[in-house]
């Protein structure tokens, strides 16, 4: 594989020749554009970058990037990416998935990839709906959601993807929004730099089947009151001119929101994405209600723990250090155990 | 037993222990079944006896039979575990239809196995376990050792437990450990009775109990006590010998099908010069392949125990995409889960090996028992037109070669290959003449390294004209960046295509690709050249069919035998072969799955012979059936 110094690439280099087929106005376009302009910055040659996706509108993503890519089957991308990543440490492997793909049919693979800390970057495009199958409710749809398959409202409670990832002890967990390119790219950057599994939930608008699902987080009228931007090492404040803060009330497991003037400056929580205990990030993930009020975005958690790939490779390298010529080792293996000779 | 004939007695000599040596009779073949409670160590005892026998140079075939429960209640019928070993001075094909000797460690073992022991056979029974309570547990109203229910057999009543405990009185081991050594006493007795060398068992005990020298000493003492008991007791008047078989010169080891299969996969990686990546989820009877492969990192094997079978094949496919030899191993229930990913691999045209060690179904079925009922699933069990290559292993040793063949096809033709084994060959064992590595096929294939189009562009679905395989362009190769997926692809470019004509073309091409795989012609064994009936088999029925055919020929009855290694594609000469016999008989451990394929494909009215009892056919049963068919042709 080439060791040549990579030439400076541009967004154009990462565009494939395929016509993009999402509905006009779909949030996926913004994410794709953000990715195409961000990838050159990493300095990783195109051939070392691989996108693996499942099935869904979101999972068409790899077709539009001029890297290696596999559009696989519904829900299984994390498993396929695990096999690729663990056997090819020289590659940067991204997984693109949807809320149905990752949390419904592929829920098992997602949590196990995160638990193992496989060195893959998982981008979950959450539009709170099944887009490709034309609008059924998804595991992130709010309870009571009226869709084609739930004409009288859904009866099941949704997952909070961030809480779920933290429950699996993911080492990197973040959330961002399709429409905020700067924020999106800053989160992608941190995910790309992370060693181990990076889980990024991207709020994505499906303007056909669930239009405006995240509007309160985007509308200049409401967004300041709804959105909490997390910055590592910074006090957690939000609202117009920092009108509100997040605190950890004594005696409570969870966090709370107060008006800035109502608490001492010392009580304002300073965001620590590196906190070892995932309970802190979990508490942050519980701040938002079903109406999206107090939705944190940014990096919830970023801790270093050995990746599955590293641990597997270490064992392999240790064994290989004792290896001789492969055919001779194979002959020795076949001839091991209780053998006998017939003359 | 037709094959069990006694040779001339030999003059007695003075034994090494100073007793007047007993008469020695020569036998050409013996079948022993060790049976006891799951906790009695019967598998180990059988393994040791097999190993001693192998050292002596007999041909061997073994058949373990164990319960699905890890520890069924002690002393009950469901808890009985057994190990049958056949050994002979000629080459044998099966572990024997019925034992000549039954070692029964308790009433349950006697009750569960006695029906298989022909009258006149030998029973060695542990009298200590024949208590009222144990008898009642298995429904014996009276003690069969005291009434005349065993009158037709040659019964040796031995207090295996008490004599072992007695022999170990001076040893610093607990009563429990002393009692547990009774299997070594039994092994010692049987080793004496059949004149087996015992060095390998001594070494084995030293290895096994390396951390507890007192157990090494106690188990060796128990073995010796059993041996000496045989020599001194009046109960055993004769000893037997089975002389070495005429076997090809070389190095041998005894091997189970699962181990052979695992080693075949390792060998394929070495011969392909590729890293091997196994994705697997534990399931009986396939788990031993995962266990074995997990030991061979030094030879470039990575094993991933995935969260389920779907992930396991996903991991393997991901690795194959990255340029590794991707493998997944499982049993029928797992293959059912993998179906969607196998279809994806068909669309992606990547190499992938799926091993199905079949067990009795449907559903959980009889998880520790054998069956051949996944053939339909292997051939047809996917959505869409999703043809794959299918290869089957016919014996424990053959699992090694079948694994290499499956990998060869997968790599050369860039296709998923299903390798069918089953519980019978997986757990059975036989001596293996170890191959020279240089004689194994060279499996090297090349990754794509540059554009393949005349216009200087790269076409991911432009095929090799000979193999119809598309280029294996692995990530990391500059200039060949491309996207693949499950959506239908345009010929050559691999771009998404919804064009009807293209889809029709691609479906036909994928079918033609599999049909074009170079599989060797099927060979027919028909020594007289006058047989009118051909018996066709696949997979693990090879042994019993072969033994039955031999037995018939020995009696002057002509029969032809042919066995399929490749079930997809079928050998090119198969139609011609089938047409040259008046009748074709297909014995299968299913309700006629191969027969169905052969009828549909060649329009001939084959005779099916089917059994699904979780057990292999006996050769006698096949012999009788075949003779009947031959008579009526
Ligand atoms: C095994 C299987 N079951 C069902 C489907 C149908 N299917 C395709 S995409 C999809 C849901 C996609 O929803 P999501 O993951 O949220 O992706 P989106 O389209 O919203 O981006 C379903 C149910 C399928 N392709 N495969
Ligand atoms: S259906 Fe929704 S998610 Fe899918 S492409 Fe259209 S707008 Fe996007
Ligand atoms: Mg969705």
């Amino acid at each position: 594989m080439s060791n040549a110094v990579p030439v400076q690439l541009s967004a154009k280099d990462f565009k494939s020749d395929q016509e993009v087929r999402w509905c006009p106005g779909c949030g996926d376009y913004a994410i794709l554009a953000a990715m195409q302009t961000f990838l050159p910055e990493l300095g990783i040659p195109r051939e070392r970058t691989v996108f693996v996706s499942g099935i869904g509108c979101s999972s068409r993503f790899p077709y539009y990037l001029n890297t290696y890519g596999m559009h696989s089957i519904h829900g299984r991308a994390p498993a396929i990416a695990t096999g690729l990543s663990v056997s090819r440490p020289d590659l940067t492997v991204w997984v693109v998935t949807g809320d149905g793909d990752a949390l419904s049919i592929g829920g098992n693979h997602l949590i196990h990839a995160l638990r193992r800390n496989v060195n893959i970057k998982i981008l979950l495009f959450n539009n709170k709906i099944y887009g490709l199958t034309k609008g059924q409710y998804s595991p992130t749809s709010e309870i009571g959601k009226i869709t084609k398959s739930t004409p009288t409202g859904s009866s099941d409670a949704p997952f909070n993807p961030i809480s779920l990832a933290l429950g699996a002890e993911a080492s990197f967990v973040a959330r961002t929004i399709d429409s905020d390119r700067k924020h999106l790219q800053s989160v992608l950057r941190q995910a790309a730099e992370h060693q181990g599994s990076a889980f990024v939930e991207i709020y994505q608008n499906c303007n056909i089947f669930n239009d405006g699902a995240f509007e309160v987080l985007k509308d200049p009228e409401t967004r300041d009151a709804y959105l909490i931007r997390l910055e590592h090492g910074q006090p957690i404040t939000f609202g117009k001119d920092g009108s509100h803060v997040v605190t950890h009330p004594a005696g409570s497991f969870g966090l709370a929101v107060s008006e800035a003037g109502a608490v001492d400056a010392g009580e304002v929580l300073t965001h620590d994405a590196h906190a070892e205990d995932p309970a802190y990030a979990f508490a942050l993930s519980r701040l938002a209600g079903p109406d999206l009020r107090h939705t944190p975005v940014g990096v919830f958690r970023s801790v270093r723990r050995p990746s599955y790939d590293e641990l597997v490779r270490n064992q392999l390298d240790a064994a290989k250090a004792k290896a001789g010529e492969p055919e001779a080792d194979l002959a020795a293996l076949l001839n091991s155990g209780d053998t006998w000779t017939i003359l | 037993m037709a094959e069990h004939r006694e040779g001339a007695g030999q003059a007695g000599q003075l034994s090494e222990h100073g007793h007047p040596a007993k008469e020695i009779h020569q036998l050409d073949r013996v079948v022993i079944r060790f049976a006891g409670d799951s906790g009695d160590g019967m598998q180990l005892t059988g393994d040791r006896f097999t190993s001693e026998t192998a050292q002596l140079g007999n041909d061997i075939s073994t058949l373990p039979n164990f319960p699905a429960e890890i520890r069924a209640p002690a002393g009950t019928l469901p808890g009985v575990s057994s190990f049958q070993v056949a050994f002979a001075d000629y080459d044998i094909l099966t572990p024997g239809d019925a034992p000549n000797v039954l070692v029964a460690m308790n009433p349950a073992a006697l009750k569960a196995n006695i029906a298989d022991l022909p009258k006149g056979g030998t029973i060695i029974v542990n009298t200590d376990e024949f208590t009222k309570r144990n008898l009642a547990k298995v429904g014996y109203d009276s003690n069969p050792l005291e009434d005349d229910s065993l009158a037709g057999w040659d019964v040796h009543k031995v207090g295996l437990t008490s004599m072992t405990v007695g022999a170990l009185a001076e040893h610093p081991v607990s009563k429990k450990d002393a009692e547990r050594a009774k299997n070594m006493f039994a092994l010692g007795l049987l080793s004496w009775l059949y004149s087996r060398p015992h060095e390998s068992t001594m070494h084995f005990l030293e290895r096994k109990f390396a951390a507890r020298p007192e157990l090494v000493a106690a188990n060796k003492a128990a073995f010796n006590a059993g041996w000496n008991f045989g020599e001194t007791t009046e109960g055993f008047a004769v000893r037997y010998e089975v002389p070495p078989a005429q076997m090809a010169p070389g190095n041998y080891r005894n091997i189970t099908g699962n181990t052979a299969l695992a080693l075949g996969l390792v060998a394929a990686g070495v011969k392909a010069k590729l890293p091997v990546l196994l994705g697997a989820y534990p399931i009986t009877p396939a788990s031993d392949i995962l266990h074995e492969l997990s030991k061979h990192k030094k030879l470039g094997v990575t094993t991933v125990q995935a969260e389920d079978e779907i992930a396991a094949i996903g991991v393997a496919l991901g690795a194959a995409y990255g340029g590794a030899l991707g493998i997944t191993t499982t049993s029928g229930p797992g293959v059912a889960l993998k179906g969607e990913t196998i279809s994806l691999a068909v669309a992606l045209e990547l190499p992938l090996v799926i091993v199905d060690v079949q067990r009795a179904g449907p559903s959980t079925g009889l998880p520790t028992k054998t069956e051949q009922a996944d053939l339909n699933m292997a051939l047809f069990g996917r959505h869409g037109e999703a043809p794959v290559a299918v290869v089957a292993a016919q014996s424990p040793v053959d699992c090694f070669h079948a694994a290499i063949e499956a990998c060869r096809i997968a790599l050369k033709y860039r296709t998923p290959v299903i390798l069918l084994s089953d519980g019978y060959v997986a757990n059975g064992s036989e001596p293996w003449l170890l191959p020279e590595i240089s004689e194994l096929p060279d499996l090297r294939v090349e990754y794509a390294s540059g554009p393949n189009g005349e216009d200087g562009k790269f076409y991911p679905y432009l095929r090799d004209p000979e193999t119809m395989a598309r280029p294996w362009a692995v990530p990391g190769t500059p200039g060949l960046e491309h996207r693949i997926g499950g959506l239908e692809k345009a010929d050559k470019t691999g771009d998404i295509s919804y064009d009807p004509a293209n889809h029709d073309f691609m479906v036909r091409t994928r079918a033609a690709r599999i049909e074009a795989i170079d599989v060797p012609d099927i060979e027919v064994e028909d020594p007289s050249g006058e047989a009118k009936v051909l018996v066709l088999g696949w997979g693990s029925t090879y042994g019993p069919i072969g033994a039955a055919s031999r037995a018939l020929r020995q009696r002057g009855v002509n029969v032809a035998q042919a066995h399929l290694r490749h079930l997809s594609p079928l050998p090119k000469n198969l139609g011609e072969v089938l047409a040259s016999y008046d009748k074709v008989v297909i014995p299968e451990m299913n309700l006629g799955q191969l027969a169905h394929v052969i009828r549909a494909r060649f329009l001939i009215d084959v005779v099916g012979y089917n059994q699904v009892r979780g057990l292999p056919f006996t050769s006698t049963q096949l012999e009788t059936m075949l003779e009947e068919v031959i008579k009526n042709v």
Side-chain angles (χ1 to χ4, degrees):
Chain A
M1 264 117 267
S2 134
N3 289 316
V5 183
V7 287
Q8 188 53 51
L9 298 168
S10 70
K12 210 172 104 255
D13 296 309
F14 283 94
K15 286 189 182 135
S16 77
D17 59 358
Q18 299 295 298
E19 183 195 342
V20 184
R21 298 261 192 110
W22 289 307
C23 310
C26 174
D28 290 347
Y29 282 98
I31 306 173
L32 177 64
M35 181 60 93
Q36 284 165 337
T37 47
F38 157 73
L39 280 174
E41 194 189 292
L42 287 177
I44 296 170
R46 280 192 310 212
E47 69 270 15
R48 300 263 184 102
T49 303
V50 187
F51 284 84
V52 182
S53 64
I55 297 289
C57 296
S58 35
S59 289
R60 299 289 174 98
F61 201 79
Y63 285 118
Y64 308 133
L65 288 160
N66 192 9
T67 62
Y68 281 87
M70 187 198 292
H71 178 221
S72 76
I73 47 177
H74 203 18
R76 317 303 173 192
I80 293 168
T82 295
L84 181 61
S85 177
V86 78
S87 59
R88 290 291 304 275
D90 56 318
L91 303 175
T92 300
V93 182
W94 299 82
V95 167
V96 176
T97 179
D99 39 318
D101 194 62
L103 301 174
S104 199
I105 194 165
N108 200 28
H109 309 309
L110 177 76
I111 58 176
H112 286 279
L114 296 178
R115 154 181 89 78
R116 291 191 180 102
N117 203 25
V118 182
N119 197 16
I120 54 180
K121 320 296 156 212
I122 302 170
L123 309 180
L124 191 163
F125 294 15
N126 184 4
N127 52 14
K128 298 194 175 185
I129 201 82
Y130 284 2
L132 192 70
T133 46
K134 302 196 173 146
Q136 302 82 3
Y137 80 112
S138 92
T140 54
S141 301
E142 56 283 7
I143 194 163
K145 179 89 176 169
I146 294 185
T147 69
K148 271 190 199 137
S149 60
T150 50
T152 50
S154 63
S155 313
D156 33 348
F159 269 136
N160 174 329
I162 300 286
S163 301
L164 184 77
L166 289 165
E169 296 187 39
S171 56
F172 182 98
V173 179
R175 177 188 284 142
T176 183
I177 305 179
D178 56 3
S179 54
D180 186 344
R181 177 173 303 189
K182 206 166 139 236
H183 191 266
L184 180 52
Q185 289 186 332
S186 115
V187 167
L188 292 180
R189 189 171 303 120
Q190 294 174 72
E193 281 162 6
H194 181 71
Q195 282 295 311
S197 295
F199 176 81
V200 180
E201 180 187 23
I202 306 175
Y203 281 160
Q204 173 243 326
N205 191 41
C206 168
N207 53 310
I208 302 296
F209 297 112
N210 202 16
D211 195 22
F214 306 104
E215 197 49 33
V216 288
L217 304 177
K218 302 178 177 182
D219 184 342
E221 293 288 306
T222 50
R223 68 181 175 206
D224 290 339
Y226 276 71
L227 210 55
I228 305 176
R229 291 175 180 270
L230 301 171
E231 299 276 356
H232 175 71
Q234 297 296 319
I236 309 178
T237 64
F238 67 102
K240 254 206 164 44
D241 306 319
S243 60
H244 286 75
V245 297
V246 173
T247 66
H248 182 199
S252 158
F253 287 119
L255 305 178
V257 167
S258 305
E259 281 186 31
V263 294
D264 289 347
E267 284 179 55
V268 178
L269 207 61
T270 297
H271 181 47
D272 180 8
H274 306 325
E276 273 304 319
D277 188 344
Y280 159 66
F282 189 84
L284 271 179
S285 77
R286 310 308 298 172
L287 272 177
D291 62 354
L292 295 183
R293 196 180 283 273
H294 307 152
T295 296
V297 295
V299 178
F300 286 68
R301 181 169 206 243
S302 173
V303 297
R304 178 82 178 103
R305 68 179 168 98
S307 70
Y308 180 70
D309 314 49
E310 279 173 81
L311 295 174
V312 168
R313 200 127 290 270
N314 289 348
Q315 288 193 4
L316 213 59
D317 290 346
K320 285 216 179 130
K322 296 185 213 127
E325 197 279 315
E327 296 215 350
D329 283 349
L330 176 63
L333 169 62
L334 298 194
N335 285 276
S336 63
D338 282 343
T339 60
W340 70 95
T341 306
I342 294 196
L343 299 171
Chain B
M1 278 284 67
E3 293 180 85
H4 186 73
R5 56 167 202 266
E6 289 206 6
Q10 239 175 248
Q13 302 157 320
L14 208 66
S15 82
E16 61 215 82
H17 295 269
H19 299 281
K22 294 189 177 172
E23 211 177 303
I24 295 188
H25 287 195
Q26 296 246 334
L27 300 175
D28 63 348
R29 175 180 183 266
V30 176
V31 181
I32 301 177
R33 186 182 294 176
F34 296 92
D37 198 61
S38 310
D40 285 340
M42 290 299 96
Q43 300 302 324
L44 184 139
T45 310
D47 261 345
R48 289 321 314 158
F49 191 88
T50 304
S51 194
E52 293 176 0
T53 295
Q55 302 287 329
L56 200 134
N58 291 131
D59 196 12
I60 310 167
S61 176
T62 72
L63 174 68
N65 190 355
F66 32 78
E69 292 76 18
I70 303 303
R71 285 275 183 279
T76 60
L77 289 171
V80 174
S81 163
S82 71
F83 187 100
Q84 182 162 315
V85 49
F87 52 105
D89 68 358
Y90 58 93
D91 102 276
I92 50 175
L93 295 168
T94 77
D97 291 355
N100 312 115
V101 181
L102 172 66
V103 178
M105 301 299 280
N106 66 6
L110 180 68
K111 184 147 197 191
N113 290 284
I114 188 71
D116 294 339
L117 188 71
K119 286 279 164 79
T122 302
I123 304 174
I124 298 172
V125 65
N126 181 10
T127 53
D128 293 324
E129 288 291 317
F130 281 66
T131 60
K132 264 215 161 66
R133 209 167 146 258
N134 285 352
L135 289 164
K137 260 190 212 172
V138 294
Y140 274 127
D141 294 332
S142 74
N143 188 342
L145 304 184
E146 284 159 14
D147 59 30
D148 58 1
S149 56
L150 299 179
W153 289 280
D154 174 19
V155 184
H156 296 265
K157 301 174 197 171
V158 186
L160 288 172
T161 316
S162 50
M163 290 209 299
T164 307
V165 172
L168 301 185
E170 305 294 309
H171 283 254
V173 293
S174 66
K175 178 147 183 278
K176 199 163 158 241
D177 281 335
E179 284 179 357
R180 289 182 67 171
K182 64 181 179 294
N183 64 334
M184 283 300 121
F185 188 100
L187 180 62
L189 174 58
L190 271 291
S191 300
W192 171 81
L193 189 59
Y194 290 97
S195 320
R196 305 286 100 183
H198 58 263
E199 294 74 18
S200 77
T201 295
M202 297 299 127
H203 293 147
F204 167 82
L205 291 171
E206 283 157 18
R207 284 198 307 271
K208 179 168 167 73
F209 297 116
R212 296 188 59 190
E214 75 280 11
L215 289 185
V216 176
N219 278 281
K220 282 184 172 179
F223 181 96
N224 288 331
W227 182 287
N228 294 338
F229 172 73
E231 200 139 78
T232 48
T233 184
E234 313 238 307
F236 292 95
V238 284
R239 252 180 116 172
Y240 301 94
E241 273 183 5
V242 178
Q246 283 287 341
M247 291 167 79
N251 277 344
Y252 284 81
R253 100 188 241 199
N254 197 54
I255 197 97
T256 65
N258 268 346
T259 310
L261 199 151
L263 295 179
L265 297 173
V266 176
V270 170
K271 296 299 287 191
K273 298 205 188 319
L274 288 177
V276 172
L277 191 132
L278 173 80
Y281 187 77
I283 185 168
T284 302
S287 301
D288 282 339
I289 303 175
L290 164 63
H291 304 161
E292 182 65 32
L293 286 176
S294 66
K295 296 182 211 157
H296 304 308
K297 298 183 177 66
K298 191 169 116 179
L299 278 151
V301 180
T302 305
T303 52
V304 174
Q305 183 178 314
E307 57 271 21
D308 60 28
E309 281 87 350
I310 302 175
I313 189 173
V315 166
L317 181 63
Y321 174 55
L325 174 52
I327 295 162
T328 187
T329 51
T330 186
S331 186
V335 179
L337 289 173
K338 293 175 197 292
E340 191 192 7
T341 312
I342 300 175
S343 272
L344 173 64
V346 167
L348 297 182
E349 302 189 23
L350 283 171
L352 186 66
V353 175
I354 302 105
V355 178
D356 177 0
V357 186
Q358 299 163 96
R359 63 189 215 183
S363 190
T364 310
L366 305 173
T368 60
K369 309 293 181 210
T370 196
E371 203 159 278
Q372 294 182 296
D374 293 350
L375 178 61
N376 277 347
M377 177 165 64
L379 292 172
F380 311 117
R382 288 164 297 282
H383 58 288
E385 294 282 0
V388 301
V390 180
V391 167
Q394 64 185 33
S395 74
V397 165
D398 187 54
C399 286
F400 178 82
H401 301 286
I404 293 178
E405 175 65 355
C407 295
R408 179 190 75 87
I409 294 175
L411 292 167
K412 181 170 175 191
Y413 297 95
R414 318 251 207 278
T415 173
V417 179
I418 297 181
L419 168 55
L420 294 172
S421 170
D422 66 33
Y424 176 45
V425 288
N427 290 321
S429 73
E430 61 183 356
W432 180 23
L433 173 57
L434 294 163
E436 289 295 331
I437 308 303
S438 57
E439 287 165 10
L440 301 176
D442 183 349
L443 303 185
R444 279 175 299 175
V445 293
E446 277 180 20
Y447 300 142
S449 56
N452 54 352
E454 283 171 10
D455 56 1
K457 289 194 188 144
F458 177 62
Y459 293 94
Y461 277 76
L462 183 63
R463 298 169 190 288
D464 177 298
E466 188 221 333
T467 61
M468 293 179 79
R470 71 178 195 90
W472 195 2
V474 304
T477 317
L480 303 192
E481 296 83 7
H482 65 285
R483 276 65 54 196
I484 55 177
L487 283 169
E488 185 60 281
K489 285 152 290 289
D491 182 35
K492 301 188 183 68
T493 63
D495 292 342
I496 300 173
S497 166
Y498 297 102
D499 176 49
N502 176 74
H503 179 56
D504 190 89
F505 175 80
M506 292 298 276
V507 166
R508 290 174 197 278
T509 302
R510 285 186 287 262
R513 237 161 74 65
I514 297 299
E515 280 305 314
I517 292 170
D518 64 328
V519 305
D521 277 352
I522 192 165
E523 287 173 21
V524 183
E525 194 183 294
D526 181 7
S528 70
E530 297 186 353
K532 295 200 162 31
V533 171
L534 172 75
V535 50
L536 179 69
W538 68 277
S540 76
T541 50
Y542 174 76
I545 294 176
S549 304
R550 274 188 199 175
L552 284 170
R553 288 178 200 136
Q554 267 168 15
R555 296 196 283 110
V557 182
N558 292 328
V559 63
Q561 186 194 353
H563 212 75
L564 286 168
R565 136 95 73 243
H566 298 95
L567 293 143
S568 170
L570 290 164
K572 306 284 173 283
N573 67 334
L574 183 60
E576 199 183 312
V577 164
L578 297 176
S580 57
Y581 289 90
D582 291 353
K583 213 60 200 152
V584 177
V585 185
I586 303 184
E588 290 179 89
M589 297 187 287
N590 60 39
L591 295 185
Q593 300 188 6
L594 177 65
H596 200 114
V597 170
I598 298 293
R599 283 191 194 117
R601 179 75 183 260
F602 300 103
L603 298 177
I604 58 166
D605 185 21
V606 300
V607 179
Y609 184 73
N610 307 95
Q611 167 182 300
V612 277
R613 304 177 60 230
L615 293 166
F617 289 111
T618 64
S619 55
T620 323
Q621 143 189 42
L622 294 180
E623 190 181 332
T624 313
M625 177 276 292
L626 288 172
E627 193 164 20
E628 198 59 31
V629 175
I630 293 165
K631 247 195 257 162
N632 295 320
V633 193

